[in-house]
Amino acid sequence: MEAKVVQSLQWSTLNSSENIMRRPSSSLRYTKRFNGNDQRHHQTLASCHLGFGKGVIGQRSVVFKVSCSSQNVSASVLESGSVPTSSDEAVILKKKSEDIEPYLDGRCIYLVGMMGSGKTTVGRILSETLGYSFFDCDTLIEQAVGGTTVAEIFKLYGECFFRDNETEIIRKLSSMQRLVVSTGGGAVVRPINWKYMHKGISVWLDVPLEALARRIAKVGTDSRPLLHGESGDAYTKALRRLSTLLEDRGEAYANASARVSLENIAAKLGCKDVCNLTPTAIAIEALVQIEKFLKK
């Protein structure tokens, strides 16, 4: 069953932690009749998404978007069209989130990893189960530059301009609490970004390059500016460029508080192809690794 509600609230405010609600998630309940007199209650989880208006300094417009979905089908899974989460995975995810929440103490979670590693999808699942707000750095940068896409920003203003805005976004988010943040693939290359992310907990989604290349080739490379200019078919182009990027960024990704290896998850679950792992299974492993870090 799909239940989805979207509501946007917009007002002008200074972007500071005092203006952000401590627990920005809410829930509602509804009843739908199934097969005669059988009634079941479904809890719909709502997560808030904050968007910065044009510009990255001073007063600006802040947009909260509330996206709701049935407790058995996460909003991110509905949007991506992936296979819905199994009931067993949903139970495990909820239990694990309850186990680690006292240790988190409101600290933000930053997801890092290569392009196409699933940071946005997994981040939304984590935010919903923890009652956190979710933010995608690329989306916030696009909004700050007047709705221009990342690919267009790279083309019009260059990568340095993009990285400067990225750092400013991460700096502002690091002053808040109870956030799950999906960072850009190259956010790890600037040491200053690690200074801000280490205020919370950083999680590296480590995906095999071949799997990343297949994912990216399937959806196309137009939205990936760092893949432009490469020759060959989409898969070959993606794999070649991803290999170079990982050589440059591998040590930086290793700075993360926790590492989530999709190869390790697949081995534990007896799955031959990491691309067949559900986003929820990856989110569960992320919570497991966060718990290990917090209990060191």
Side-chain angles (χ1 to χ4, degrees):
M1 173 187 302
E2 176 177 340
K4 195 168 185 181
V5 179
V6 176
Q7 178 182 7
S8 294
L9 303 174
Q10 185 167 358
W11 67 94
S12 180
T13 180
L14 267 176
N15 179 31
S16 64
S17 57
E18 289 81 2
N19 295 321
I20 307 299
M21 292 180 292
R22 292 280 297 185
R23 291 189 64 87
S25 294
S26 60
S27 65
L28 58 90
R29 297 183 71 88
Y30 69 90
T31 302
K32 182 174 178 64
R33 186 178 298 275
F34 294 89
N35 300 327
N37 295 324
D38 180 25
Q39 289 186 332
R40 304 176 187 176
H41 291 277
H42 293 260
Q43 186 173 34
T44 304
L45 302 176
S47 61
C48 297
H49 304 277
L50 177 79
F52 298 104
K54 188 173 183 180
V56 292
I57 300 176
Q59 288 194 343
R60 77 229 31 210
S61 169
V62 176
V63 180
F64 274 91
K65 180 175 287 186
V66 182
S67 176
C68 306
S69 63
S70 165
Q71 77 173 35
N72 290 326
V73 184
S74 71
S76 57
V77 170
L78 287 171
E79 291 170 6
S80 66
S82 300
V83 178
T85 303
S86 72
S87 58
D88 287 345
E89 283 184 339
V91 171
I92 295 170
L93 180 70
K94 184 62 177 175
K95 176 64 166 60
K96 183 55 64 176
S97 68
E98 291 172 347
D99 288 344
I100 75 165
E101 188 170 8
Y103 298 96
L104 280 173
D105 195 29
R107 280 177 285 184
C108 296
I109 296 173
Y110 300 89
L111 299 181
V112 302
M114 297 284 282
M115 64 178 80
S117 59
K119 299 184 294 291
T120 297
T121 300
V122 174
R124 285 175 176 160
I125 295 173
L126 289 174
S127 69
E128 289 181 5
T129 193
L130 291 170
Y132 275 31
S133 290
F134 171 75
F135 302 99
D136 183 287
C137 283
D138 284 356
T139 299
L140 296 182
I141 295 168
E142 289 175 340
Q143 293 171 355
V145 189
T148 308
T149 66
V150 171
E152 291 171 335
I153 292 171
F154 269 70
K155 182 177 180 180
L156 294 173
Y157 307 108
E159 184 175 358
C160 186
F161 175 87
F162 177 86
R163 298 299 174 200
D164 288 343
N165 278 265
E166 181 176 60
T167 295
E168 181 66 5
I169 293 292
I170 293 173
R171 183 187 70 81
K172 289 185 176 296
L173 293 177
S174 71
S175 68
M176 305 177 192
Q177 287 192 310
R178 303 187 65 81
L179 310 179
V180 175
V181 180
S182 170
T183 68
V188 297
V189 300
R190 286 193 173 185
I192 187 63
N193 293 342
W194 283 110
K195 174 185 175 182
Y196 300 135
M197 290 191 289
H198 281 326
K199 293 180 180 180
I201 300 164
S202 51
V203 180
W204 172 22
L205 299 187
D206 185 7
V207 184
L209 291 181
E210 293 78 7
L212 288 176
R214 292 207 308 273
R215 289 182 184 178
I216 293 171
K218 185 176 181 179
V219 299
T221 61
D222 290 346
S223 64
R224 309 286 184 180
L226 292 181
L227 298 183
H228 294 173
E230 293 285 342
S231 60
D233 62 88
Y235 173 80
T236 301
K237 181 166 56 175
L239 183 60
R240 183 187 303 120
R241 184 59 175 146
L242 289 169
S243 299
T244 301
L245 289 173
L246 186 59
E247 287 181 8
D248 295 337
R249 300 173 180 175
E251 291 185 6
Y253 287 132
N255 287 323
S257 311
R259 171 177 172 259
V260 174
S261 167
L262 267 66
E263 288 184 326
N264 290 346
I265 302 173
K268 286 193 293 185
L269 298 179
C271 180
K272 294 182 179 180
D273 187 347
V274 299
C275 291
N276 292 330
L277 294 172
T278 67
T280 300
I282 299 169
I284 291 170
E285 180 66 15
L287 293 177
V288 168
Q289 296 305 322
I290 290 172
E291 183 178 36
K292 289 181 179 179
F293 170 76
L294 292 173
K295 291 185 176 181
K296 281 183 179 178

